[in-house]
């Protein structure tokens, strides 16, 4: 299948350090998928921890392949990165989000946070600022508050990270450090860079209540976040017990299936309406 092909190709390129020559089909399929409208975006709500009210949404890319069906982003994003296709793919994401935003801005409250995931490769590229500017120009004016989610990988060996973050702040974008706790030397980055949000990885959240050793680490991270004045988003919250534990520890925002799965725009609007009615 395509998916196995992708994984196999990644393995090959990781092992040999060579770029794929015999497995170029999936790369072509991404470009074709863009042209043929096989990608769409789903939006997962984030809620404010203390009252459970909607706070914003995270845009998540979806690919429905004509023969393979749904291909998970974890598989095609890393493939797109390896094949130098992450920039066109992210430009396409911008286009899709802007299209959805024409509808969503009439339905969601002003000030709704809208976060997008960025690849470090794009962030470090010379087209990044231009792409972001072009996107903002086609987005509804003064409606959303933007957040870019980036992983720790963006900081590794990236001399200009500080400069890019400063540019983002000057242009009113907030920055979230994503998947926090899954990489190396993470704590150093928290002090070094001006993040606005810290997203606690699902792995941490899922261990709540199952491993006694986890809570001291998570406690330390949350304490540090508080000292540095960062907002905290716990992702992958699936149970009421997890939510209660997190709220108790002062986490400011929650995201996960307990509240909602990622939703198509129409369903996202219904979600907001239901929450408002509560
Ligand atoms: P992420 O940024 O950590 O996104 C959160 C992932 O957790 C999403 O998976 C979401 O559907 C899933 N999730 C949310 N709540 C729960 C929960 O309660 N339980 C469980 N088990 N899962 C939950 P998804 O959509 O499959 O995306 C996977 C990853 O792919 C994302 O992880 C992100 O790193 C990447 N990705 C997705 N869309 C994009 C994109 O547009 N651009 C880039 N660069 N990466 C993207
Ligand atoms: Ca994310
Ligand atoms: Ca994450
Ligand atoms: Ca993740």
């Amino acid at each position: 299948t395509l998916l196995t092909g992708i994984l196999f190709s990644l393995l090959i390129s990781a092992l040999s350090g060579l770029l794929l020559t015999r497995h170029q089909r999936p790369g072509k399929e991404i470009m074709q998928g863009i042209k043929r409208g096989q990608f769409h975006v789903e939006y997962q709500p984030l809620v404010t921890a203390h009252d459970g009210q909607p706070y914003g949404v995270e845009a998540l890319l979806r690919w429905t392949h004509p023969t393979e069906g749904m291909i998970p982003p974890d598989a095609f994003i890393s493939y797109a990165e390896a094949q130098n296709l992450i920039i066109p793919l992210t430009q396409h994401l911008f286009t899709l989000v802007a299209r959805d935003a024409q509808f969503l801005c009439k339905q969601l409250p002003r000030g709704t946070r809208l976060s997008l995931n960025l690849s470090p490769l794009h962030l470090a590229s010379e087209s990044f600022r231009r792409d972001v500017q072009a996107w903002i120009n086609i987005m509804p004016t003064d409606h959303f508050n933007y957040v870019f989610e980036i992983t720790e990988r963006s900081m590794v060996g990236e001399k200009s990270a500080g400069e890019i973050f400063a540019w983002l702040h000057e242009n009113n974008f907030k920055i979230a450090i994503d998947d926090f706790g899954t990489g190396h030397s993470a704590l150093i980055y928290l002090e070094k860079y001006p993040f606005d949000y810290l997203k606690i990885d699902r792995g941490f959240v899922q261990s709540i209540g199952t491993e006694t050793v986890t809570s001291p680490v998570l406690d330390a991270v949350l304490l540090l976040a508080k000292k540095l004045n960062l907002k905290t988003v716990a992702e992958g919250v699936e149970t009421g017990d997890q939510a209660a534990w997190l709220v108790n520890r002062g986490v400011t925002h929650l995201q996960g299936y307990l509240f909602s799965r990622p939703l198509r725009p129409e369903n996202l609007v219904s979600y907001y309406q239901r929450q408002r009615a509560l």
Side-chain angles (χ1 to χ4, degrees):
T1 68
L2 174 67
L3 186 53
T4 340
I6 290 173
L7 294 174
F8 178 67
S9 302
L10 278 173
L11 185 68
I12 299 278
S13 66
L15 286 177
S16 63
L18 294 172
L19 270 194
L20 318 164
T21 46
R22 294 188 358 250
H23 297 86
Q24 270 165 0
R25 201 173 133 257
K28 258 197 204 133
E29 290 206 280
I30 286 182
M31 292 314 291
Q32 226 164 51
I34 291 176
K35 285 195 199 106
R36 296 182 181 170
Q38 292 163 8
F39 289 91
H40 75 271
V41 181
E42 291 183 358
Y43 301 85
Q44 187 176 36
L46 277 72
V47 305
T48 303
H50 67 87
D51 60 7
Q53 281 304 298
Y55 177 76
V57 296
E58 176 178 6
L60 295 157
L61 202 51
R62 299 285 178 258
W63 185 12
T64 314
H65 189 276
T67 55
E68 304 296 320
M70 275 288 233
I71 301 177
D74 284 323
F76 68 77
I77 295 287
S78 50
Y79 188 79
E81 285 174 339
Q83 290 290 289
N84 264 322
L85 293 171
I86 193 66
I87 295 179
L89 190 59
T90 309
Q91 289 165 341
H92 187 53
L93 168 80
F94 286 165
T95 306
L96 294 173
V97 170
R99 207 174 289 163
D100 291 341
Q102 300 307 324
F103 163 70
L104 290 175
C105 74
K106 300 199 187 83
Q107 309 284 337
L108 305 187
R110 194 165 171 203
T112 296
R113 275 89 186 160
L114 172 61
S115 56
L116 271 71
N117 294 280
L118 289 179
S119 159
L121 293 174
H122 191 192
L123 204 72
S125 76
E126 69 61 43
S127 78
F128 177 69
R129 294 173 200 207
R130 201 170 56 233
D131 292 343
V132 170
Q133 221 111 50
W135 176 54
I136 288 311
N137 288 340
I138 57 168
M139 286 295 285
T141 33
D142 285 340
H143 194 84
F144 297 102
N145 286 332
Y146 302 104
V147 183
F148 283 127
E149 302 194 2
I150 54 162
T151 60
E152 286 162 48
R153 283 186 305 144
S154 311
M155 273 73 71
V156 183
E158 187 43 65
K159 280 201 223 90
S160 54
E163 198 187 299
I164 296 165
F165 295 160
W167 180 83
L168 287 171
H169 276 155
E170 277 159 29
N171 287 278
N172 266 325
F173 296 97
K174 301 285 185 208
I175 307 164
I177 181 159
D178 205 356
D179 295 348
F180 192 78
T182 57
H184 309 281
S185 348
L187 297 180
I188 288 171
Y189 296 126
L190 282 192
E191 237 198 332
K192 186 164 176 203
Y193 296 113
F195 300 114
D196 304 289
Y197 295 88
L198 183 153
K199 297 197 79 171
I200 298 150
D201 191 64
R202 188 163 81 221
F204 268 130
V205 173
Q206 276 168 355
S207 66
I208 293 170
T210 62
E211 288 167 49
T212 44
V213 286
T214 306
S215 34
V217 178
L218 192 48
D219 272 340
V221 168
L222 293 177
L223 203 69
L224 189 63
K226 205 176 275 175
K227 288 216 159 157
L228 294 168
N229 240 326
L230 294 173
K231 296 188 176 86
T232 40
V233 184
E235 33 176 50
V237 180
E238 292 181 354
T239 71
D241 284 352
Q242 290 167 346
W245 192 96
L246 292 158
V247 173
N248 232 305
R249 296 289 191 296
V251 168
T252 59
H253 305 283
L254 307 171
Q255 178 181 10
Y257 295 168
L258 178 64
F259 307 97
S260 172
R261 291 187 175 255
L263 302 168
R264 297 262 196 171
E266 314 77 59
N267 296 332
L268 179 67
V269 169
S270 318
Y271 170 85
Y272 265 78
Q273 283 163 351
R274 275 199 310 277
Q275 297 309 304
R276 217 170 296 162
L278 288 182

